Amino acid sequence: MICDKPECARFIAKKLWRFFAQDQPPEPVVEALAAEFHGHGMDLKHLMAVIFRSKEFYAPEVIRSQIKSPVQWLIAGTHQLQAPLPTQPMSLVMLRQLGQELFNPPNVKGWDGGIAWITTNSLLDRYNFAAALVEGDRVPLPGLMGQMKSVMNSMAEDGLMQISPANVSALFSPADLSNPYSFLAALQARFLNTELKPQRLASFNDFLKSRSPIEETDIRKAIRLIMCTPEYQLT
């Protein structure tokens, strides 16, 4: 009886578009998806195919319009650095500090997502954790109390809270590192799949223009900087 109601199709279509595409779905898109969903017997597989094949899904205003969740941020970062995920306890601490403790949402609705992922504290944590992933570092422990603090300190002493430095030189070819312009293009392709805004692009050019060939210390600093840009927080 619920699925027979057009409102049900609209509710589910809007939820899926918000999750996979953009936080503020255009009404015409929602209505079209709802009609398609309802007209095909509430077939979720069909609806997903329609979403992923629609031209609206690949519109410029949709691409890279969502803020990465902490899980997306961590997995994408390690993948782009061609590094393994941190140890399980370390990953749990990082995600908890970033605001997404796995399997423990704040309520039955789940995490709000979107802009709620970014706060003053969580953004600073993203910057600090980016440095840890690139440079190799010990992840700072949150303000834990009692037995949990004791367990985490014990893990830290056993080396389970330490991240090995990323092998950044292996991420770029000799041609990429031959001059600042090639390196900046390769850097954006690997970590952003888009271009930096003009002002930030100019800052990177200023930083790299006197460096040729590009040394490993330059690579590490550039990666850290790009992982701290607003563009990097989007997916």
Side-chain angles (χ1 to χ4, degrees), residues 181-202:
Y181 305 105
S182 298
F183 174 57
L184 186 52
L187 187 70
Q188 291 177 99
R190 170 170 286 276
F191 288 92
L192 300 181
N193 199 26
T194 187
E195 286 192 351
L196 291 162
K197 297 293 184 183
Q199 183 178 358
R200 283 185 283 277
L201 191 60

Side-chain angles (χ1 to χ4, degrees), residues 17 21-22 54-66 194 197 234-235:
W17 187 265
Q22 61 189 143
S54 67
K55 68 180 188 301
E56 290 84 2
F57 187 75
Y58 300 96
E61 63 270 18
V62 172
I63 298 294
R64 299 183 52 76
S65 66
Q66 291 183 307
T194 187
K197 297 293 184 183
L234 300 176
T235 183

Side-chain angles (χ1 to χ4, degrees), residues 7 24 68 106 170:
E7 292 84 355
Q24 301 298 328
K68 291 174 184 169

Side-chain angles (χ1 to χ4, degrees), residues 9 32-47 50:
L33 290 175
E36 188 76 18
F37 188 33
H38 194 264
H40 283 77
M42 307 291 279
D43 185 340
L44 280 169
K45 183 177 180 180
H46 174 78
L47 177 61
V50 170

Side-chain angles (χ1 to χ4, degrees), residues 162-183:
Q162 181 75 32
I163 298 178
S164 300
N167 183 13
V168 296
S169 297
L171 303 178
F172 303 97
S173 69
D176 293 334
L177 302 177
S178 62
N179 63 77
Y181 305 105
S182 298
F183 174 57

